[in-house]
Amino acid sequence: MWTPLTPAQPTGVSLWVRPGSTALNDTYVVLGDDDTTTTNGAIFFYAHDSGNFAASTVGHLLNLGPYTSNTWYDVHFTVDWACEMFDISIDGDLKMVNIPFRTAGTEHFSQLHVFNQDVSTAWWDQIVFSGPPASMLIFSDDFERDSTCRWNSTSP
């Protein structure tokens, strides 16, 4: 199932998900541009059949920690459009930072896809796009990866 969106560059995307099984691939959330059906979008998140939430980038499956079936989870993506990366928090717990977009060159979100790969029941609710949220990351220079693109600083 998918829906077209007015093209936008939100810096925050939040939603609630409820996976139906820890043994099946379900609760997919894919955000991207008009080519999402062929490129798999910029953000590719789902409940993996290993019992862990996962994000997929080109050539990598990132483990974001375990989940329980039939439990609601508050998922938040913080999007950095300049660096083509995002951070992910689940239930307020920062799981991973600087995840590269699955498809480089994505300039906006204009499609949202939610689906199950396996025969399962899953739920999605309260999908919200927002502007800059309060930073979950106090400081990150990313120099260890030879990048000067990401630089966050907040003051009290």
Side-chain angles (χ1 to χ4, degrees):
M1 177 168 65
W2 71 279
T3 187
L5 306 167
T6 300
Q9 288 188 332
T11 54
V13 178
S14 60
L15 66 150
W16 287 84
V17 298
R18 182 179 168 186
S21 172
T22 56
L24 299 170
N25 292 306
D26 65 17
T27 323
Y28 283 74
V29 176
V30 180
L31 284 159
D33 58 20
D34 291 339
D35 294 326
T36 297
T37 303
T38 55
T39 64
N40 289 318
I43 295 177
F44 194 99
F45 169 84
Y46 67 107
H48 191 268
D49 63 7
S50 65
N52 291 295
F53 281 119
S56 179
T57 64
V58 176
H60 300 284
L61 182 65
L62 307 172
N63 180 341
L64 302 171
Y67 66 89
T68 304
S69 63
N70 298 311
T71 300
W72 283 101
Y73 293 91
D74 181 14
V75 178
H76 187 85
F77 306 106
T78 303
V79 184
D80 184 334
W81 288 96
C83 294
E84 296 186 350
M85 295 182 181
F86 64 98
D87 303 345
I88 185 165
S89 295
I90 301 174
D91 287 341
D93 185 23
L94 184 61
K95 296 295 184 178
M96 195 166 290
V97 299
N98 299 334
I99 302 169
F101 282 3
R102 183 173 172 97
T103 303
T106 301
E107 296 180 2
H108 58 263
F109 294 150
S110 58
Q111 289 185 6
L112 167 66
H113 296 245
V114 295
F115 59 94
N116 294 331
Q117 179 180 343
D118 296 326
V119 179
S120 179
T121 301
W123 297 263
W124 301 264
D125 197 10
Q126 296 180 344
I127 301 170
V128 177
F129 285 13
S130 61
S135 178
M136 294 177 285
L137 190 60
I138 301 302
F139 179 81
S140 175
D141 63 19
D142 212 20
F143 289 130
E144 66 276 9
R145 292 197 285 182
D146 296 320
S147 172
T148 58
C149 188
R150 179 131 183 159
W151 187 270
N152 290 321
S153 177
T154 60
S155 57

